[in-house]
Amino acid sequence: MSLYLGLDSSTQSLSAIVLEVDGSHRRIAFESSIAFDETLPHYGTRHGVLPADDATSAVSPPLMWVEALELMMERLAKSGLDLSQLRAISGSAQQHGSVYLNAKAAALLGTLDPGRRLADQVNPMLSRDVAPIWMDSSTSIECGEIEAATGGNQALAQRTGSRAFERFTGPQIRKFSKRDPSAYAATDRIHLVSSFLASLLIGEHAPLDPGDGSGMNLMDLTSCDWWMPAVDATAADLATKLPRVARASTIVGTLSRYWQVRFGLPPAQVVAWSGDNPCSLVGVGLVREGRLAISLGTSDTVFGLMREPRVDATGTGHVFGAPTGDYMGLTCFKNGSLAREHIRDRFGLSWSTFSESLRRTPAGNGGRLLLPWLEPEITPTVLTPGIRRYDLDPGDADGNVRAVVEGQQMAMALHSRWMNVTVDTIHATGGAAANRDILQVMANVFGAVVYQLQVGNSAALGAAIAALHGSATGEGDSMAWDDAVEGFVEPIAQSALRPNAATHAVYRELIDVYAACELHALGQGADPSPRLADFAAALE
Ligand code: XUL
């Protein structure tokens, strides 16, 4: 019997899943989660982010992630599992966020004192006490500068998988180097959240993997190495500060003495960590082309595996490296769970009364529509936040509930067209995938069968499967990804939500009206009132 641990450090929480593998017998032996705001209130975060006056800024305290990691390993040590059988650990983390370490870090990482709290020992390693995260949209100027210096957004996207995006690590690094040149100069290593946490486990600077590296606007997508024109355009001496990129599934080290002595854990292998979306791709079983997954979490994401890197000419989506060595297409929406919760809370609803509202209202919502931009939005780019309503009374509870759900699904269908996938099946994951009324709207909008999965946290599951795969392949065995995921990722057959043909036809009309409202709200299109009126009249 062998155990494999997957960790997921997300925006709002740290989760862990342990897989038990005994021949063909496979099961989840442990699942646990730590919510940052509730468990670690002394960091003062709200939804895992430090409050800021500027709506475009989003930073988190890296020491909070460190403290959560230590707490989780302690929980695991006390779980009663036979941890002598723990073979390998891997991890997933929110993408794009960066952690800045000074030159003392290399030595300090290797000499962590098992008698002392981890966060106290990591503090002196930081050259910047906060980490910009994926919700930050404050770097439009830097995006423009990097784009101009690399031959334009098309060239940047062809090489790195994405045009310049505000939250991507390169523009964030550039902003830091300009705003605080002395702290930037004192920075010896810039980690992603994933490679930072992996470094703490192995007691030395860990490499990052191509899945997370492709969220930086710095890595050449096909060679999986730094693309020097982008590196040079981003900040001085950056090449010396970046980690190495290691192939996915690489064993990057061994669980260090700190964890062995402090919690009695074994010298387990540590497999390269990745971003939460690449990990989710594995955790929802998309190790082959032709299906889509939708994750309804803090961010909503639409993604699928690609054999070839087909870059989005419209500049909306991203191509990342996939853990399988292939690629993945992804479109990300910032207004996921926080926008849904905002509407729920505004009308004093529970998730169950929220669902009742959805069931009470007709598809198409009588032509009442909402653009869910509570926070600055990533897709499409919206820097000035605010929910926009069309023909919708802000006080109408039922209408707003349906409008937020339909608005989000419309946006996802519209902005994933570039992937050019004929969608007949969607694997739904993330917290809100538990809500079957929301998923029924998804099925009707996409005209696809939507499945729920056995494991809610696909990112942590994908990381645990990466630990299993990396451990097997690192020991010289070959393991097909189909075999690695078997038994953990199959959708629940009885969970299938089928589209209704008539309702799908309504949404095929609505999507163009939605697109017109979006363009209007962005100041790029005509007043959509006549189209909304026509749509509403056709519904009657
Ligand atoms: C993906 C993105 C988000 C974060 C959330 O590009 O920005 O999905 O990874 O953790």
Side-chain angles (χ1 to χ4, degrees), residues 11 94-96 134 167 276-277 299 301 318 320 330 332:
T11 317
Q94 56 170 305
Q95 295 198 253
H96 317 294
W134 68 276
R167 70 194 191 286
D276 50 2
N277 292 294
S299 64
T301 52
H318 316 297
F320 293 151
L330 176 136
C332 178

Side-chain angles (χ1 to χ4, degrees), residues 78-403:
K78 292 180 177 159
S79 66
L81 290 174
D82 179 6
L83 291 168
S84 65
Q85 303 306 313
L86 181 63
R87 294 275 173 269
I89 305 172
S90 189
S92 141
Q94 56 170 305
Q95 295 198 253
H96 317 294
S98 43
V99 180
Y100 298 73
L101 302 184
N102 59 35
K104 287 183 285 186
L108 290 173
L109 280 168
T111 51
L112 292 171
D113 175 358
R116 292 174 54 214
R117 278 166 26 102
L118 188 59
D120 294 342
Q121 301 184 69
V122 173
N123 199 15
M125 299 180 199
L126 298 177
S127 56
R128 182 180 186 183
D129 56 4
V130 294
I133 66 154
W134 68 276
M135 297 175 91
D136 191 285
S137 51
S138 66
T139 64
S140 299
I141 293 172
E142 289 73 17
C143 285
E145 291 165 347
I146 292 171
E147 182 206 328
T150 51
N153 265 331
Q154 278 293 337
L156 191 60
Q158 278 306 330
R159 281 294 184 152
T160 69
S162 302
R163 68 166 169 84
F165 274 91
E166 280 78 359
R167 70 194 191 286
F168 274 42
T169 324
Q172 293 291 338
I173 293 172
R174 179 163 179 82
K175 179 179 156 194
F176 178 56
S177 73
K178 284 165 49 184
R179 295 275 172 95
D180 197 345
S182 56
Y184 176 74
T187 300
D188 178 62
R189 186 61 48 94
I190 302 174
H191 277 292
L192 292 179
V193 184
S194 59
S195 59
F196 169 61
L197 294 174
S199 304
L200 298 180
L201 294 183
I202 64 176
E204 59 183 288
H205 283 304
L208 46 85
D209 91 318
D212 227 8
S214 42
M216 301 173 80
N217 279 145
L218 290 171
M219 193 194 80
D220 184 314
L221 196 59
T222 42
S223 71
C224 294
D225 204 351
W226 302 118
W227 185 44
M228 287 316 293
V231 172
D232 291 340
T234 297
D237 298 327
L238 180 55
T240 64
K241 300 179 198 280
L242 292 172
R244 188 166 63 77
V245 185
R247 204 174 36 81
S249 291
T250 306
I251 296 170
V252 297
T254 301
L255 195 61
S256 76
R257 181 174 168 275
Y258 177 82
W259 305 100
Q260 294 181 37
V261 176
R262 190 159 174 86
F263 297 125
L265 296 168
Q269 296 163 328
V270 177
V271 172
W273 284 43
S274 188
D276 50 2
N277 292 294
C279 288
S280 277
L281 186 80
V282 166
V284 298
L286 295 197
V287 293
R288 291 184 176 277
E289 219 169 4
R291 292 189 165 192
L292 272 190
I294 294 187
S295 172
L296 302 175
T298 307
S299 64
D300 286 348
T301 52
V302 186
F303 54 90
L305 185 126
M306 286 178 176
R307 291 266 174 247
E308 296 300 328
R310 292 188 302 274
V311 169
D312 174 17
T314 69
T316 305
H318 316 297
V319 180
F320 293 151
T324 54
D326 304 293
Y327 301 93
M328 65 184 287
L330 176 136
T331 307
C332 178
F333 302 83
K334 195 198 282 188
N335 284 287
S337 65
L338 300 185
R340 285 184 287 275
E341 283 163 20
H342 171 78
I343 296 292
R344 182 199 61 184
D345 297 345
R346 185 190 154 113
F347 297 106
L349 303 172
S350 62
W351 283 125
S352 128
T353 49
F354 184 94
S355 275
E356 282 168 21
S357 287
L358 259 186
R359 289 197 291 268
R360 262 200 299 271
T361 41
N365 212 12
R368 293 167 299 177
L369 200 141
L370 170 163
L371 304 174
W373 302 334
L374 177 71
E375 306 266 344
E377 180 49 69
I378 291 169
T379 312
T381 308
V382 179
L383 296 179
T384 313
I387 289 180
R388 301 352 182 226
R389 290 180 173 80
Y390 287 90
D391 292 348
L392 176 65
D393 175 355
D396 168 3
D398 286 353
N400 277 270
V401 166
R402 179 157 281 277

